[in-house]
Amino acid sequence: MTKSTAKAPLAGTPSLLRAINDRAALELLLANGPLSRTQIGTLTGLSKPTASQLLARLEAAGLVLPVGTTAGGPGPNAQLYQVNPAAGYVAGLEVTGSEIRVAIADITGSTLVEHSVPTRGVPAAETVARVAAAVAGARQAAGLADGSLRTVAIGVGGAPDPVTGKLRYASHLPGWHSPRLVEELSEAIGAPVSIENDVNLAAVAERASGAAAGSEDFVLLWAGAGVGAAIMIGGRLHRGFTGGAGEVGYMPVPDSPFEWDARRRKFGGFQALVGAPAVRALAREHGLGAPTAEESIAKALETPGAGDTLLTELAGRLAVGLSVIVAVIDPQLVVLSGAVPSAGGERLRALVEDELARICIARPEIRSSALPGSPVLLGALQRALTDAREAVFSTH
């Protein structure tokens, strides 16, 4: 008889179990605010002595702070603890063709400062230096020392290729196409940098605290100066083989120009129907022309007759593109975001929902973005916080 060579499952070591318990406690403190030792023990199922040891470890590591005591209950007041905001800081960036917007937050997610710098006219060769200077300016405004940032996440209107590292679909961003861009930015900023598609980050923000909170399967459609989609499946972003999943601005749809050459930057498809220039052109056709797409839609909302016709036609265009996406993905939910849907508000959302139900068998719920400020910047901060917490909370 031969002996079996199969190895028995490894039991959790005391250090591993401590790390798991510590991480669980930190996540509870982030989600629920200050908690006492007893409350942490109840929520984690740990005994009072184990909860006390856990808090002592986290306090010694600088990850939690005592912040007062409970009051008003029977018995002695209990010490309350919270995550130490100074345990780490992160930066989120939104990069467009005209500016770089930076937000700095502490490890609890509280935003300390927002800062922006213009980018028009900046030579491509100075891109890395310009980004580093923008981050440094925000960091200094927040009163933080050099080297204090744990992670930096950057949202751009393009798709980083996971194989080559090059940024695709981003001809409007000169200086952002080096295959070593991430390394160059990390070195210049002095912190690990990640680059993500801006619409994907908007979806991250919506799932964290916006219209898609709690949803595992949804599509976010962004319509503004550019048009794109983010696809969330099973709670994870679907980026595609080359990182280009969701580049629906190029998608041919009925009534859109189809004789175009993407390599020569002749845009057609869905972009030509619902992008900001198309909305301005549509508004002019109805006598509602304005300098921007947002102003055109605002006029339509206030103009019976011509405005009603414009909004219905725009909703039909949006629904046609969405019907293609919905037929392939079959999401639980669609979130409308970007300048065009935001300007149309609830009225445009309802029209899109009605038009989609008319032409599509699947009928996902349609919601408008529920986030204040820039969804891309909020998503960049959320991505940076996720990375920083993984590093800080797992290695103390």
Side-chain angles (χ1 to χ4, degrees):
M1 180 182 293
T2 59
K3 293 183 178 179
S4 172
T5 57
K7 294 182 179 179
L10 293 175
T13 63
S15 60
L16 175 60
L17 294 175
R18 283 195 297 270
I20 293 172
N21 290 337
D22 290 356
R23 181 63 181 267
L26 289 165
E27 296 292 348
L28 285 169
L29 287 168
L30 285 172
N32 299 287
L35 296 172
S36 68
R37 178 196 63 180
T38 300
Q39 290 171 322
I40 290 175
T42 300
L43 291 170
T44 59
L46 299 174
S47 66
K48 288 184 179 180
T50 302
S52 295
Q53 294 168 5
L54 176 153
L55 286 168
R57 281 196 306 274
L58 295 179
E59 187 174 2
L63 296 180
V64 301
L65 292 172
V67 288
T69 59
T70 59
N77 295 340
Q79 179 70 62
L80 294 173
Y81 294 86
Q82 72 172 25
V83 172
N84 180 8
Y89 299 95
V90 303
L93 280 70
E94 178 182 9
V95 176
T96 68
S98 61
E99 68 175 350
I100 300 170
R101 299 180 62 186
V102 186
I104 304 285
D106 62 40
I107 200 74
T108 70
S110 295
T111 300
L112 306 180
V113 69
E114 291 191 20
H115 177 70
S116 65
V117 297
T119 57
R120 290 195 187 278
V122 175
E126 297 179 15
T127 295
V128 170
R130 189 67 163 175
V131 174
V135 174
R139 176 180 52 75
Q140 291 162 6
L144 301 178
D146 189 14
S148 58
L149 295 178
R150 290 280 186 168
T151 58
V152 176
I154 304 177
V156 297
D161 190 305
V163 177
T164 66
K166 290 189 66 175
L167 191 65
R168 305 171 71 238
Y169 306 97
S171 58
H172 63 294
L173 293 176
W176 284 83
H177 301 92
S178 167
R180 294 193 64 254
L181 184 62
V182 170
E183 291 84 351
E184 292 167 358
L185 287 169
S186 298
E187 183 177 348
I189 294 172
V193 169
S194 63
I195 297 177
E196 179 63 88
N197 173 262
D198 52 1
V199 181
N200 281 348
L201 288 178
V204 169
E206 294 289 355
R207 185 168 184 263
S209 57
S215 179
E216 296 286 305
D217 295 270
F218 71 93
V219 167
L220 182 142
L221 178 66
W222 181 282
V227 175
I231 303 164
M232 192 80 72
I233 300 175
R236 298 172 63 90
L237 282 171
H238 178 71
R239 296 180 177 87
F241 180 68
T242 66
E247 293 291 340
V248 298
Y250 297 90
M251 180 174 65
V253 294
D255 298 324
S256 71
F258 60 90
E259 292 184 3
W260 48 268
D261 186 347
R263 296 183 183 277
R264 295 184 180 180
R265 305 178 189 176
K266 293 183 179 179
F267 292 92
F270 198 29
Q271 169 82 29
L273 285 183
V274 299
V279 173
R280 292 198 303 272
L282 179 63
R284 287 193 297 270
E285 291 176 13
H286 292 281
L288 299 169
T292 67
E294 298 96 303
E295 291 171 287
S296 298
I297 294 172
K299 276 190 175 183
L301 290 169
E302 298 171 354
T303 307
D308 298 332
T309 303
L310 184 153
L311 291 170
T312 299
E313 185 170 344
L314 177 57
R317 292 181 178 190
L318 288 164
V320 165
L322 276 174
S323 69
V324 179
I325 300 169
V326 167
V328 175
I329 305 299
D330 188 24
Q332 171 192 8
L333 169 70
V334 172
V335 177
L336 301 178
S337 190
V340 169
S342 295
E346 170 58 23
R347 187 168 169 195
L348 182 59
R349 184 213 65 79
L351 286 170
V352 171
E353 189 169 60
D354 290 345
E355 286 296 307
L356 185 63
R358 186 175 65 83
I359 64 176
C360 191
I361 294 176
R363 297 183 179 183
E365 182 181 358
I366 309 290
R367 296 180 187 171
S368 297
S369 172
L371 295 171
S374 165
V376 176
L377 193 60
L378 291 172
L381 274 181
Q382 187 65 39
R383 171 59 53 79
L385 282 167
T386 298
D387 294 343
R389 288 169 181 170
E390 184 64 32
V392 173
F393 293 170
S394 301
T395 59
H396 73 88

